[in-house]
Amino acid sequence: MTALLDFVAEAPLVDHHCHGVVTHDPGREEFERMLTEADVVSPLGVSLFDSLIGLAVRARCAPVLDLPKHAPAQDYLGRRAELGAGEVNRRFLRATGTTDFLLDGGFLPGSLTTTAEFTDLAQARAHDIVRLEQVAEDVVRAGTSAAGFAAAFDAELTRRAAGAVGVKSIAAYRVGLELSGARPAPAEVAAAAGRWFAGIEAGAPVRLADEVLHRHLIWAGVERGLPVQFHVGYGDSNVDLHRCDPLLLTGLLRATRGSGVPILLLHNYPFHRNAAYLAQVFEHVFADVGLCTHNAGFRASALLAELLELIPFGKLLFSTDAFGLAELYHLGSTLFRQGLSDFLRTALAAGELSEVDARRLVRLAGHENAARIYRLESR
Amino acid sequence: MTALLDFVAEAPLVDHHCHGVVTHDPGREEFERMLTEADVVSPLGVSLFDSLIGLAVRARCAPVLDLPKHAPAQDYLGRRAELGAGEVNRRFLRATGTTDFLLDGGFLPGSLTTTAEFTDLAQARAHDIVRLEQVAEDVVRAGTSAAGFAAAFDAELTRRAAGAVGVKSIAAYRVGLELSGARPAPAEVAAAAGRWFAGIEAGAPVRLADEVLHRHLIWAGVERGLPVQFHVGYGDSNVDLHRCDPLLLTGLLRATRGSGVPILLLHNYPFHRNAAYLAQVFEHVFADVGLCTHNAGFRASALLAELLELIPFGKLLFSTDAFGLAELYHLGSTLFRQGLSDFLRTALAAGELSEVDARRLVRLAGHENAARIYRLESR
Amino acid sequence: MTALLDFVAEAPLVDHHCHGVVTHDPGREEFERMLTEADVVSPLGVSLFDSLIGLAVRARCAPVLDLPKHAPAQDYLGRRAELGAGEVNRRFLRATGTTDFLLDGGFLPGSLTTTAEFTDLAQARAHDIVRLEQVAEDVVRAGTSAAGFAAAFDAELTRRAAGAVGVKSIAAYRVGLELSGARPAPAEVAAAAGRWFAGIEAGAPVRLADEVLHRHLIWAGVERGLPVQFHVGYGDSNVDLHRCDPLLLTGLLRATRGSGVPILLLHNYPFHRNAAYLAQVFEHVFADVGLCTHNAGFRASALLAELLELIPFGKLLFSTDAFGLAELYHLGSTLFRQGLSDFLRTALAAGELSEVDARRLVRLAGHENAARIYRLESR
């Protein structure tokens, strides 16, 4: 927590990928479960407060709730419950300095705030990102045939994308990122839908996990000219992380580079250097270290410095990937600011850039890149 | 060698993975060969003292032998021979501050101290780790049939595991870590044993390298409730390092997470961030940066900081993977302490944690995690 | 730009892998295109000066052209044009402190200086590296049969290698680095050549991309006893970076380790730690961080520190992989010096090595290793 450079502390941010917050008061176990990507608290005796993110909550969030830095976990959770979720959510969201939140409402939507509720809590603008796989699964639940799937999906995507600023694929979670670059032909899509539906009829849940269909969804987004976000790298235990290296997208990136559609690589850890490489050599590729920013606590500065080795400053974005706990929006933004500030302080002290350069980098990464790519000013 | 924080310098350690020491006086070439993972000294003109581990020996080990820091390699080896292996071994092992050594005696057992000899040299407790593949190979050497292999292995493992605190798999060295999660059925095991034995009859050495059989051995360890160690990542030139990414174990980790049996990922370099991810999302997974700690010299601090980005502090362990040279126990432990101390000094100075937190992290990683996982207090 | 240690600033360098320079004055767009591995300037609104390499040009190159540090890009390019390419090339090449340049003249030879022209500009010695694939493609363009290919290639390689100090493979760019260790038999080579020629007759360009033939070329280099350079890792958008991990060469490295022929792994980013591992465990393997040194700007120090974790100092080399723009030779060498100096300052301050050790490391990495491997003193 070296003091932030003033122009970093004051920079407005666009959080180009996050989710809603929960509106109830979580108990300790639920809080710990939502804190990291672990889905259970270990029966082998480990609290998730014993981690860099746990320390960051106690060091960086406690003061927002009027507690001393490093307050013990129990005190922290007690104070949180005392203030209540409404007040806690308002405090943390408003402390972020974020002007625009881009919300992916496609994961566990029932348990989180809607976009309108979020806007009200955060006193900031919120925009929708459409999760492609959710659209496809909803279309299937509503009933369609293999031959009719593509048209039904297309109609539903058109409806939902009307007010949205981008789309997102979670192919990484379902089949990994080794996606062919070719746009699937209608007959391939129908055949793949047929296989999917046969599985559902045999009792499988409605869960899309088919390389052809993920690709079809992605191309549908590209065709609409909407920025396409990809979950990349780090996630929970459902991810096969070795199949989520962004380099596996190389073929698809080559195939889409003529489209003029921005491709956004989210999170990327521990492959963030690979993502930076892609953002350098492909003119339509952008990247962040999203989800890992808060999980790595004060080591977020190290990750950001690694990302910055190759990424052009016009390709770097900010996101928190915060989900559920209001702390995560605050941690994501304060640690992103810390990372930028640490990087720039080092570079300024060494004479590697001027303050004019430093201010420009912060403007680009903090909000200008996102505003340009998602055309937020026209909204 | 920034001065160690006092509570790091004084912390008792459990070295949860190491081997015995040699009891003769090695000459220069043998010393260099045992110093790193290189198996020959390069005919292209390079001394292995010209490396971070070589500098670490001269900077950190020389004073233990009453020499000035940075003593030349020849002086160092001369003094070492003068003192003799017995005295050298005693000095280095006792300088580590290790209370418990967990010894894998399965590699080149004839050339190293036994557990009893080691205890005497180190004046500390020593416990056995059973190398699964060695048990299987010994069973085969003793004579068994394909149909009888599983039962013979089972009986021998029961015998050897009686006094042991854990088991270890070196599948990484033989077939890589892309192991299926499924427990092999008895018929599959018998068939795989049959293939193995046919190879031996045709003249192949008794060397297990079969995905089904490695998996069978691992499940046998899990079934006994014994912690299972895996060699992961960095090793000598016999390793196909690209097949040793711990992420390849994801399927097996999913399959074993309900067992309550701890899985220990050893070494992990250069995939240690991947190991930390696994330790976060799987409640039964633990990790260290053994072996690389001494090989990377003063850069060990950087590796530990990277591991700490995601790993919960309750999942971090200490090991040296020292083998043969007494220097390696000393370097592994002093560099681990240096890494923890550097990390905590930075974090304390930045206000990212309190001294109470720092002390707790050291206790957990230094000995409490290992004591809990291997149930050392009950011994 | 912490002041360089004097013995680092003054060390002579051997740049063991670079290309020629352009002799015309590039406009802004052409300059940006040549600055990084991006092949187009993004239509999404990003200048490539907004990157660490862009900052490095303005901070480190501007003063060489008599401009203040951090001069704006337009001013920089204006001054560059005013001085003219000849003067610019002379200033930057002579500012490097390089005594010997090893030039791969095989990429876009028509647009760059020849070896003789380069020598004159740089006032230093220049040596040739023969690009194996170019020889093969020239042989095919000159006309040969599938059965005659191996002999024709052999004759032409002998002719070109006569005055050269090494050969280079760009298999990474064509088929990736998953090359078998086996030397292909003559019949396999003829069959592969037959497939290649059939493709050319069917209209494909003369572009070698066949695993068997790349391997044949590499073995031809090994057989001549010439050091073999490999492009590894980072490159432009034509690279499938996930197929360019140096670990994929493990089989070939095992097969060639008895040959006594040095294998040089170039660039390696983001797999440079993997390259360092290979350089430790295989006695004939050497590595650098070439191309990435200038692309990562002041973060080059971080990359070099990571490479140094495992690489023996007798295995570390210096290269710029500079191509076209004279700035890249200057940036590559000044950032390499900065990286060594930063690393050594840290280590000296911490007492991890002596100044004698530090000076030795600089001599080895800066020029002695290259002089020994390429036998430059006998020339």
Side-chain angles (χ1 to χ4, degrees):
Chain A
M1 287 191 220
T2 317
L4 297 181
L5 291 166
D6 59 355
F7 56 89
V8 178
E10 293 156 14
L13 297 178
V14 174
D15 186 345
H16 88 110
H17 183 75
C18 56
H19 306 265
V21 283
V22 294
T23 52
H24 65 277
D25 293 315
R28 175 154 187 163
E29 198 190 322
E30 186 183 1
F31 187 91
E32 287 203 34
R33 263 194 292 107
M34 297 180 76
L35 188 61
T36 74
E37 293 302 299
D39 34 29
V40 292
V41 178
S42 174
L44 289 164
V46 183
S47 162
L48 291 170
F49 273 99
D50 284 315
S51 60
L52 290 196
I53 186 172
L55 295 179
V57 167
R58 291 171 42 227
R60 292 170 174 270
C61 296
V64 179
L65 304 190
D66 315 314
L67 293 172
K69 276 178 70 166
H70 316 308
Q74 273 318 110
D75 297 0
Y76 180 83
L77 292 171
R79 173 64 179 160
R80 195 188 202 284
E82 184 180 277
L83 286 170
E87 175 65 10
V88 167
N89 288 344
R90 276 187 294 274
R91 287 196 188 187
F92 282 125
L93 291 177
R94 294 177 192 180
T96 58
T98 303
T99 61
D100 295 77
F101 293 87
L102 275 58
L103 297 174
D104 166 12
F107 185 56
L108 302 178
S111 65
L112 302 179
T113 49
T114 62
T115 303
E117 290 165 339
F118 195 93
T119 300
D120 192 50
L121 281 171
Q123 292 290 298
R125 300 200 301 174
H127 312 271
D128 287 316
I129 297 289
V130 176
R131 188 185 282 230
L132 293 164
E133 288 80 4
Q134 191 198 26
V135 177
E137 291 166 0
D138 286 351
V139 160
V140 171
R141 282 192 201 95
T144 182
S145 66
F149 170 73
F153 171 76
D154 195 64
E156 183 63 14
L157 180 60
T158 298
R159 201 178 68 73
R160 296 201 199 177
V165 297
V167 298
K168 180 191 175 191
S169 170
I170 55 158
Y173 259 93
R174 303 292 176 81
V175 295
L177 292 176
E178 193 153 16
L179 303 174
S180 154
R183 170 153 204 178
E188 289 176 90
V189 174
R195 288 192 301 272
W196 185 18
F197 297 171
I200 294 168
E201 268 165 52
V206 177
R207 185 175 181 275
L208 176 57
D210 178 286
E211 194 268 341
V212 172
L213 294 179
H214 285 288
R215 237 190 313 138
H216 174 70
L217 272 51
I218 291 160
W219 278 101
V222 170
E223 204 168 54
R224 271 166 183 75
L226 284 172
V228 182
Q229 300 181 343
F230 281 86
H231 177 100
V232 180
Y234 181 45
D236 68 28
S237 69
N238 287 313
V239 150
D240 281 346
L241 191 55
H242 57 290
R243 299 162 73 201
C244 296
D245 185 329
L247 296 179
L248 296 172
L249 285 173
T250 303
L252 190 66
L253 297 178
R254 283 200 192 110
T256 54
R257 71 191 297 191
S259 68
V261 171
I263 303 288
L264 296 305
L265 307 177
L266 306 174
H267 325 316
N268 295 299
Y269 186 86
F271 311 112
H272 43 296
R273 281 171 159 168
N274 301 6
Y277 157 77
L278 294 169
Q280 183 191 75
V281 303
F282 290 110
E283 63 278 9
H284 65 322
V285 173
F286 299 75
D288 68 32
V289 282
L291 177 57
C292 212
T293 311
H294 55 264
N295 271 280
F298 77 92
R299 285 285 299 176
S301 299
L303 309 188
L304 206 51
E306 290 174 351
L307 186 69
L308 278 160
E309 285 159 7
L310 287 195
I311 200 169
F313 307 152
K315 301 298 199 74
L316 173 62
L317 296 178
F318 162 65
S319 82
T320 60
D321 197 30
F323 179 96
L325 292 182
E327 282 83 351
L328 304 182
Y329 305 84
H330 178 60
L331 286 180
S333 54
T334 185
L335 288 164
F336 178 74
R337 291 182 199 274
Q338 187 74 58
L340 280 189
S341 181
D342 289 351
F343 182 82
L344 293 172
R345 257 191 207 288
T346 303
L348 285 165
E352 301 284 358
L353 46 61
S354 70
E355 193 180 309
V356 171
D357 298 325
R359 287 176 182 271
R360 175 165 165 78
L361 193 165
V362 173
R363 279 200 312 275
L364 285 168
H367 62 103
E368 286 186 5
N369 291 337
R372 184 176 73 250
I373 293 159
Y374 294 101
R375 301 180 199 131
L376 298 183
E377 297 319 317
S378 64
R379 293 190 167 256
Chain B
M1 288 191 220
T2 316
L4 296 181
L5 291 165
D6 58 355
F7 56 89
V8 178
E10 293 157 15
L13 297 177
V14 174
D15 186 345
H16 88 111
H17 183 75
C18 56
H19 306 266
V21 282
V22 294
T23 52
H24 65 278
D25 293 314
R28 175 152 186 167
E29 199 190 320
E30 186 184 0
F31 187 91
E32 287 203 34
R33 262 193 293 108
M34 296 180 76
L35 188 61
T36 74
E37 293 302 299
D39 32 29
V40 292
V41 178
S42 175
L44 289 163
V46 184
S47 162
L48 290 170
F49 273 99
D50 284 314
S51 60
L52 290 195
I53 186 172
L55 295 179
V57 167
R58 292 171 43 226
R60 291 170 175 270
C61 294
V64 179
L65 304 190
D66 315 315
L67 294 173
K69 274 179 71 168
H70 316 308
Q74 273 318 111
D75 296 2
Y76 180 82
L77 293 170
R79 173 64 178 161
R80 195 188 202 283
E82 184 179 277
L83 286 170
E87 174 65 11
V88 166
N89 288 344
R90 277 187 293 274
R91 286 197 189 186
F92 283 124
L93 290 177
R94 294 176 192 180
T96 59
T98 303
T99 61
D100 295 78
F101 293 87
L102 275 57
L103 299 174
D104 165 13
F107 185 55
L108 302 178
S111 64
L112 302 179
T113 48
T114 63
T115 302
E117 290 164 339
F118 194 93
T119 299
D120 192 50
L121 280 171
Q123 292 290 298
R125 301 200 301 175
H127 312 271
D128 287 315
I129 298 288
V130 176
R131 188 185 282 229
L132 294 165
E133 288 80 3
Q134 192 198 27
V135 177
E137 292 166 0
D138 285 352
V139 161
V140 171
R141 283 192 200 94
T144 182
S145 66
F149 169 73
F153 171 77
D154 195 63
E156 182 63 14
L157 179 60
T158 298
R159 201 179 66 75
R160 296 201 199 178
V165 296
V167 298
K168 180 190 175 191
S169 169
I170 55 158
Y173 260 93
R174 303 294 176 81
V175 296
L177 292 176
E178 194 154 15
L179 303 173
S180 154
R183 168 151 207 182
E188 288 177 90
V189 174
R195 289 192 301 272
W196 185 19
F197 297 171
I200 294 167
E201 267 165 51
V206 178
R207 184 176 182 274
L208 177 57
D210 179 286
E211 194 268 341
V212 172
L213 293 179
H214 285 288
R215 235 188 318 138
H216 173 70
L217 270 52
I218 291 159
W219 278 102
V222 170
E223 203 168 54
R224 269 166 185 75
L226 284 173
V228 182
Q229 300 181 342
F230 281 87
H231 177 101
V232 180
Y234 182 45
D236 68 29
S237 68
N238 287 315
V239 150
D240 282 344
L241 191 55
H242 57 290
R243 299 162 73 201
C244 295
D245 185 330
L247 296 179
L248 296 172
L249 286 173
T250 303
L252 190 66
L253 297 177
R254 283 200 192 109
T256 54
R257 73 191 297 189
S259 69
V261 171
I263 303 287
L264 296 304
L265 307 176
L266 306 174
H267 325 320
N268 294 300
Y269 187 87
F271 312 112
H272 44 294
R273 281 171 160 167
N274 301 5
Y277 156 77
L278 294 169
Q280 184 191 74
V281 303
F282 290 110
E283 65 277 9
H284 65 324
V285 173
F286 299 76
D288 69 32
V289 282
L291 182 57
C292 211
T293 311
H294 54 266
N295 271 280
F298 77 90
R299 285 283 301 176
S301 299
L303 309 189
L304 206 51
E306 290 173 352
L307 187 69
L308 278 160
E309 286 159 7
L310 287 195
I311 200 169
F313 307 152
K315 300 299 198 76
L316 173 62
L317 295 178
F318 163 66
S319 82
T320 59
D321 196 31
F323 179 94
L325 293 181
E327 281 84 351
L328 304 183
Y329 304 84
H330 177 61
L331 287 180
S333 54
T334 183
L335 288 164
F336 178 75
R337 290 183 200 273
Q338 187 74 59
L340 280 188
S341 181
D342 289 350
F343 182 83
L344 293 172
R345 257 192 206 287
T346 302
L348 285 165
E352 301 284 358
L353 46 61
S354 71
E355 193 178 309
V356 172
D357 298 324
R359 286 174 182 270
R360 175 164 164 80
L361 193 165
V362 173
R363 280 198 312 274
L364 285 168
H367 61 104
E368 286 186 6
N369 291 335
R372 184 177 71 249
I373 293 159
Y374 295 101
R375 300 180 201 133
L376 299 183
E377 298 319 318
S378 62
R379 296 192 165 253
Chain C
M1 288 192 219
T2 316
L4 297 180
L5 292 165
D6 58 355
F7 57 88
V8 178
E10 292 156 14
L13 297 178
V14 174
D15 185 346
H16 88 110
H17 183 75
C18 56
H19 306 266
V21 282
V22 294
T23 52
H24 66 277
D25 293 315
R28 175 152 187 165
E29 198 190 321
E30 186 183 359
F31 187 92
E32 287 203 34
R33 260 194 293 107
M34 297 180 76
L35 188 61
T36 73
E37 293 302 300
D39 34 28
V40 292
V41 178
S42 174
L44 289 164
V46 183
S47 162
L48 291 170
F49 273 100
D50 285 314
S51 60
L52 290 196
I53 186 172
L55 296 178
V57 166
R58 291 172 43 227
R60 291 171 175 268
C61 295
V64 179
L65 304 190
D66 315 316
L67 294 172
K69 275 178 69 167
H70 316 309
Q74 272 319 111
D75 297 1
Y76 180 83
L77 294 171
R79 173 64 179 162
R80 195 186 202 282
E82 184 180 275
L83 286 170
E87 175 64 11
V88 167
N89 287 344
R90 277 187 293 275
R91 286 196 188 186
F92 282 124
L93 291 177
R94 294 176 192 180
T96 58
T98 303
T99 61
D100 295 77
F101 293 88
L102 276 56
L103 298 175
D104 166 12
F107 185 55
L108 301 178
S111 64
L112 302 179
T113 49
T114 63
T115 303
E117 289 164 339
F118 194 93
T119 299
D120 193 50
L121 280 171
Q123 292 289 297
R125 301 200 302 174
H127 312 270
D128 287 316
I129 298 289
V130 176
R131 189 185 280 230
L132 294 164
E133 288 80 4
Q134 191 197 26
V135 177
E137 291 167 1
D138 286 351
V139 160
V140 170
R141 282 192 200 95
T144 182
S145 66
F149 168 75
F153 170 77
D154 195 62
E156 183 62 15
L157 179 60
T158 298
R159 201 179 66 74
R160 297 200 198 179
V165 297
V167 298
K168 180 190 174 189
S169 169
I170 55 158
Y173 260 94
R174 303 293 177 80
V175 296
L177 292 176
E178 194 154 15
L179 303 173
S180 153
R183 168 150 207 183
E188 289 176 90
V189 174
R195 289 192 301 271
W196 185 17
F197 298 172
I200 294 168
E201 269 166 50
V206 178
R207 184 175 182 276
L208 175 58
D210 179 286
E211 194 268 341
V212 172
L213 294 180
H214 286 288
R215 236 190 314 139
H216 174 69
L217 271 52
I218 292 159
W219 278 101
V222 169
E223 204 168 55
R224 270 165 184 76
L226 284 172
V228 182
Q229 300 181 343
F230 281 86
H231 177 99
V232 181
Y234 181 44
D236 68 28
S237 67
N238 287 313
V239 149
D240 281 345
L241 191 56
H242 57 288
R243 300 162 73 201
C244 295
D245 186 330
L247 296 179
L248 296 172
L249 285 172
T250 302
L252 190 66
L253 297 177
R254 283 199 193 110
T256 55
R257 72 190 298 190
S259 68
V261 171
I263 303 287
L264 297 305
L265 307 177
L266 306 174
H267 325 316
N268 295 300
Y269 187 87
F271 312 111
H272 44 294
R273 281 172 159 167
N274 301 6
Y277 156 77
L278 293 169
Q280 184 190 75
V281 302
F282 290 110
E283 64 278 8
H284 64 324
V285 173
F286 298 76
D288 68 31
V289 281
L291 177 57
C292 213
T293 311
H294 54 266
N295 271 280
F298 76 91
R299 285 285 300 177
S301 299
L303 308 189
L304 207 51
E306 290 173 351
L307 187 68
L308 278 159
E309 285 159 9
L310 287 194
I311 201 170
F313 307 152
K315 300 300 199 74
L316 173 61
L317 295 178
F318 162 65
S319 82
T320 60
D321 196 32
F323 179 95
L325 293 181
E327 281 83 351
L328 305 182
Y329 304 84
H330 178 60
L331 287 180
S333 54
T334 185
L335 289 164
F336 178 75
R337 290 183 200 273
Q338 187 74 57
L340 280 189
S341 181
D342 289 351
F343 182 82
L344 294 172
R345 258 192 207 287
T346 303
L348 285 165
E352 301 285 356
L353 45 61
S354 71
E355 193 179 310
V356 171
D357 298 324
R359 287 175 182 269
R360 176 166 163 78
L361 192 165
V362 173
R363 279 199 313 275
L364 285 167
H367 62 104
E368 286 186 5
N369 290 337
R372 183 177 74 250
I373 293 159
Y374 294 100
R375 300 179 201 134
L376 299 182
E377 297 318 318
S378 64
R379 298 198 160 249

